[in-house]
Amino acid sequence: NGQATQTVKDNALVFNDDNIVSKVDVSTTELYSLFNEVEAEYEDVNLLDQTNVIYVKTPANQRKPGEPDNTLSVRYTMINDLPRARNLANIELRQSRFDKVVRFTSDYSGIELLSGDIFKLSNPSTGFDNKLFRCLRTLEVEDENGRLLVEVTGLEYDDTIYDHSTERETNPAGGS
């Protein structure tokens, strides 16, 4: 899933005190777990679909003080050109900078939320007022009284994660 349209954001499912039945846990990625380089393998169309590797790094001015080098290794099996591989690697890096994760249990109204969906969270104890998150996971659970509930895990969402430059291959297979 990429950048959400304004309509998707406007119509996102809202979680608040009316449908959250647990506390809202907020966590962040610890400094030593942040990724600041991606080593991306892809099948390069210019090399007759042989494996090629690119390295994309977080600019030094965007790294946190004392942040150690930490490389994420990925293999893009459905990508065969450099511009797409580079754009996906940059999205991975930017996403790691937005590291706020929320977990809570909602009443059964949360069952309509699917992984990848955008949702809004309003919760006075966290200071969130319709803050956007992308759903990472939902899990249907039953409480001790037999009520069906939904455990929700979401990752902070921001449109800028999906910004990318338009690139052209310098030597595309089969011509210009």
Side-chain angles (χ1 to χ4, degrees), residues 10-171:
D10 290 345
N11 295 313
L13 184 60
V14 176
F15 289 101
N16 55 34
D17 289 343
D18 293 337
N19 56 6
I20 294 176
V21 297
S22 70
K23 70 177 184 161
V24 176
D25 289 321
V26 181
S27 61
T28 60
T29 305
E30 63 180 22
L31 183 65
Y32 292 95
S33 297
L34 289 174
F35 292 111
N36 42 46
E37 180 178 34
V38 173
E39 173 189 46
E41 294 181 356
Y42 66 101
E43 309 306 315
D44 194 333
V45 68
N46 294 314
L47 300 175
L48 301 174
D49 287 330
Q50 293 182 39
T51 299
N52 200 351
V53 179
I54 61 164
Y55 296 88
V56 178
K57 293 185 176 193
T58 299
N61 66 346
Q62 292 179 14
R63 289 177 67 161
K64 296 181 180 185
E67 182 180 327
D69 294 340
N70 193 8
T71 302
L72 171 66
S73 296
V74 296
R75 180 170 182 79
Y76 297 124
T77 57
M78 302 298 289
I79 301 297
N80 69 351
D81 62 272
L82 176 62
R84 279 180 226 181
R86 186 181 336 253
N87 282 331
L88 286 175
N90 275 304
I91 288 171
E92 297 276 3
L93 285 178
R94 284 190 296 273
Q95 182 65 66
S96 78
R97 300 287 138 192
F98 289 88
D99 63 345
K100 197 166 285 162
V101 176
V102 294
R103 288 183 181 85
F104 57 87
T105 303
S106 82
D107 63 16
Y108 198 69
S109 66
I111 196 64
E112 66 185 87
L113 189 67
L114 302 174
S115 292
D117 286 354
I118 302 296
F119 67 89
K120 295 176 187 175
L121 177 59
S122 290
N123 181 265
S125 66
T126 61
F128 298 150
D129 183 19
N130 281 330
K131 182 164 180 55
L132 295 174
F133 289 88
R134 185 176 293 279
C135 179
L136 296 178
R137 181 182 97 141
T138 58
L139 180 64
E140 190 175 316
V141 295
E142 187 176 318
D143 74 2
E144 62 278 351
N145 298 323
R147 289 186 312 160
L148 290 176
L149 305 173
V150 179
E151 292 178 357
V152 176
T153 303
L155 181 65
E156 185 176 15
Y157 175 83
D158 189 290
D159 285 334
T160 61
I161 292 167
Y162 302 98
D163 290 345
H164 65 273
S165 59
T166 302
E167 297 182 33
R168 295 195 124 188
E169 292 246 23
T170 54
N171 183 22

